[in-house]
Amino acid sequence: MENQKAKRIKIIRHALMIIVLSLLFVAFIFPFIMVIINVFKVKSDITGNPLALIGKHGFTMENFPKAIAKMKFFSSFANSLIITTCSTIGTIALSSMTAYLIVRNNWKANKILFVLMIASMVIPFQVLMIPLVSLYGGILGILNHRITLIFMHIGFSLSMATFMFHGSIHTNVPCSLEEAATIDGCSKWQIFSKIVFPILKPTIATVAIIDAMAFWNDYLLPSLVLGRKDLYTIPIATKVFYGTYSTDTGLIMAALLLAMLPILLLYLFLQRYIVEGITAGAVK
């Protein structure tokens, strides 16, 4: 009798969990569904009935070429792609090597450096925003360059990535592998590049998708660093659709869909590594 009661309670809990998760899924996916539904409507249909699957004027594709032309999509896409790719690769390379150095060398300086990197993660970017731009723009005069933004992205993301690689190396890379490679005559660089780095594939994929999404979708930092229109990234380029007295919702929807597709495809390609990589980087 008690077993049946416990079984019923377990079933009820499972059902409640499914319901709650389903509601959360709908809440999170709803904005994306709204973009998909309304991107194929004219402006009047979107404002009149945004929840309708098909507007009164029918199905239309005219929002896409207009949005591409108005926001200079291909130029903005190239800027976003260059900045995101270089920043992500730089972050992965530097953070993985830094984490390996900290884990495998029990130096007091390494411990202090790691503590400082962890502490820096709690400092919000908004606190450093004005001094940073004033320093680089006013004194050094190196704003309006992609390389400046790339270095800033790497600098702000390095601590979190190093923390994840540190946990992964400490947990998943046994010292015996490195000792065997040393006996075989491998150098430190060969050990890291040929043995340690390939083992870190789940963490690499996790850091890549997290940072790539952050860099691709970032608006605040690029808007402060990149002032010339020919350097605009996609998030900055979308501001041309927002006017003082009117907003073309259809073009905004098309621009949003074009902007999210590349990073969505990257996520779908790497998502099987996400949970494994986060767990490896967080559990010591």
Side-chain angles (χ1 to χ4, degrees):
M1 189 72 178
E2 292 182 359
N3 291 335
Q4 291 181 351
K5 186 177 180 180
K7 191 175 181 179
R8 286 198 207 98
I9 293 174
K10 187 176 180 181
I11 293 173
I12 292 172
R13 286 178 178 175
H14 183 71
L16 289 174
M17 184 180 67
I18 294 297
I19 292 171
V20 171
L21 291 176
S22 299
L23 291 174
L24 289 174
F25 173 76
V26 172
F28 280 108
I29 203 69
F30 182 74
F32 181 72
I33 294 174
M34 291 298 296
V35 171
I36 297 297
I37 290 175
N38 290 295
V39 74
F40 301 108
K41 299 179 186 176
V42 298
K43 182 179 178 181
S44 59
D45 290 337
I46 297 174
T47 55
N49 188 3
L51 295 177
L53 294 177
I54 300 177
K56 294 180 180 178
H57 296 83
F59 185 89
T60 179
M61 293 287 292
E62 64 180 16
N63 289 326
F64 289 100
K66 289 182 179 179
I68 289 172
K70 191 171 183 179
M71 70 183 293
K72 297 181 179 178
F73 175 77
F74 295 109
S75 173
S76 303
F77 179 85
N79 290 330
S80 290
L81 185 64
I82 292 170
I83 292 169
T84 300
T85 303
C86 294
S87 301
T88 304
I89 293 174
T91 300
I92 291 172
L94 290 176
S95 60
S96 60
M97 288 188 286
T98 303
Y100 179 70
L101 180 68
I102 293 173
V103 173
R104 290 295 184 255
N105 295 280
N106 193 24
W107 301 334
K108 189 173 181 180
N110 281 351
K111 295 179 180 178
I112 296 173
L113 174 63
F114 188 62
V115 170
L116 291 175
M117 294 184 75
I118 298 302
S120 69
M121 291 166 57
V122 303
I123 303 175
F125 165 70
Q126 289 77 7
V127 175
L128 305 173
M129 177 173 61
I130 301 302
L132 186 69
V133 175
S134 299
L135 175 64
Y136 282 95
I139 300 176
L140 301 179
I142 56 174
L143 296 180
N144 288 320
H145 294 283
R146 297 188 191 94
I147 191 67
T148 304
L149 181 59
I150 290 170
F151 279 131
M152 288 185 178
H153 276 321
I154 293 174
F156 282 111
S157 60
L158 197 61
S159 297
M160 182 62 184
T162 301
F163 172 73
M164 295 182 67
F165 278 114
H166 181 280
S168 183
I169 292 171
H170 195 281
T171 305
N172 299 327
V173 184
C175 294
S176 57
L177 284 176
E178 298 176 38
E179 292 170 357
T182 302
I183 293 173
D184 290 338
C186 291
S187 64
K188 286 289 185 182
W189 172 250
Q190 289 174 327
I191 291 172
F192 175 77
S193 60
K194 296 182 179 181
I195 297 175
V196 177
F197 197 73
I199 296 176
L200 300 176
K201 187 184 294 184
T203 308
I204 293 170
T206 304
V207 173
I209 189 63
I210 291 174
D211 285 342
M213 288 178 66
F215 301 150
W216 185 270
N217 294 321
D218 189 20
Y219 177 86
L220 184 56
L221 185 56
S223 67
L224 295 172
V225 177
L226 306 177
R228 300 205 320 259
K229 290 186 177 181
D230 60 310
L231 296 177
Y232 278 2
T233 57
I234 288 180
I236 307 176
T238 56
K239 70 181 182 181
V240 300
F241 302 114
Y242 298 90
T244 305
Y245 302 105
S246 64
T247 301
D248 199 326
T249 314
L251 298 187
I252 292 174
M253 296 293 181
L256 289 175
L257 187 60
L258 290 170
M260 73 174 70
L261 279 179
I263 205 67
L264 181 62
L265 293 175
L266 177 65
Y267 175 79
L268 293 175
F269 179 71
L270 297 177
Q271 59 89 24
R272 64 192 181 99
Y273 297 108
I274 297 298
V275 175
E276 183 181 353
I278 291 176
T279 304
V283 179
K284 184 174 179 180

